[in-house]
Amino acid sequence: MLWISTLVGVATVLLSFATSTQAVITWAIQQAANPTADQTDAYNRIHYAMRLAVERHTRLGNATKTIRVYYDTGVPTAEANWNGDLRFGADRAYMTQRTALHEIGHTLGVGQLAAFDTHCAANNWPTATPLLQSWDGASAKINCGGGHFWPYGLNYETEWSETNADRNVLLILRMIADGMR
């Protein structure tokens, strides 16, 4: 039953692509052949979070990526890499859309590539900064540190809102357009 829900998640994204020229972020949860009750619960929570996050990217943008999602109890919270690996740890508090969006950002280049660091150090985001300023005022700037950005980096659960989630996706798309990757 769980593999069907994973296929539905991938199919939803592909169907969205078939009906428009929007984002093509594909993903699949790498699952145990005979999952335990703990794994089944985690897979279901992760699937829900990833489905919502990828649907948001599909609705708002044009990023492309293939993501392999894992449940790894050795991961304290969640982590992701430019290579497309995204891992959720055992803590259910991080199996959320906010975490999925944040980690998808890492797979798209946030905190993972030298170009991100270079743009951050120079505060050189020619299209992302004006977008941020349109929301937060003329003095707003993208801050970076520790492989993350703020505002709208969705670095903590307290940053969650529907508006902030949309702004996260839109800023990352502009950062990509500005040469982050």
Side-chain angles (χ1 to χ4, degrees), residues 2-128:
L2 193 53
W3 64 271
I4 291 173
S5 62
T6 300
L7 290 176
V8 170
V10 172
T12 299
V13 172
L14 293 177
L15 180 59
S16 295
F17 178 69
T19 59
S20 68
T21 56
Q22 296 272 326
V24 183
I25 295 178
T26 59
W27 62 280
I29 300 174
Q30 312 303 302
Q31 300 182 42
N34 295 302
T36 65
D38 173 71
Q39 290 170 323
T40 298
D41 177 64
Y43 295 151
N44 287 332
R45 291 171 187 261
I46 293 166
H47 178 270
Y48 182 71
M50 286 296 298
R51 181 180 59 81
L52 293 175
V54 171
E55 285 174 359
R56 187 177 302 272
H57 269 277
T58 300
R59 180 171 46 84
L60 295 174
N62 58 4
T64 60
K65 195 71 182 185
T66 299
I67 302 172
R68 291 164 304 282
V69 182
Y70 301 87
Y71 172 53
D72 182 345
T73 58
V75 174
T77 57
E79 63 185 18
N81 192 295
W82 165 247
N83 71 4
D85 288 345
L86 192 161
R87 293 175 179 78
F88 287 87
D91 189 338
R92 286 352 190 221
Y94 292 94
M95 294 178 186
T96 64
Q97 182 182 176
R98 193 271 320 158
T99 301
L101 285 167
H102 174 89
E103 299 304 335
I104 289 169
H106 289 307
T107 71
L108 295 173
V110 171
Q112 299 291 308
L113 303 172
F116 172 83
D117 296 333
T118 300
H119 283 277
C120 284
N123 195 25
N124 180 21
W125 301 105
T127 67

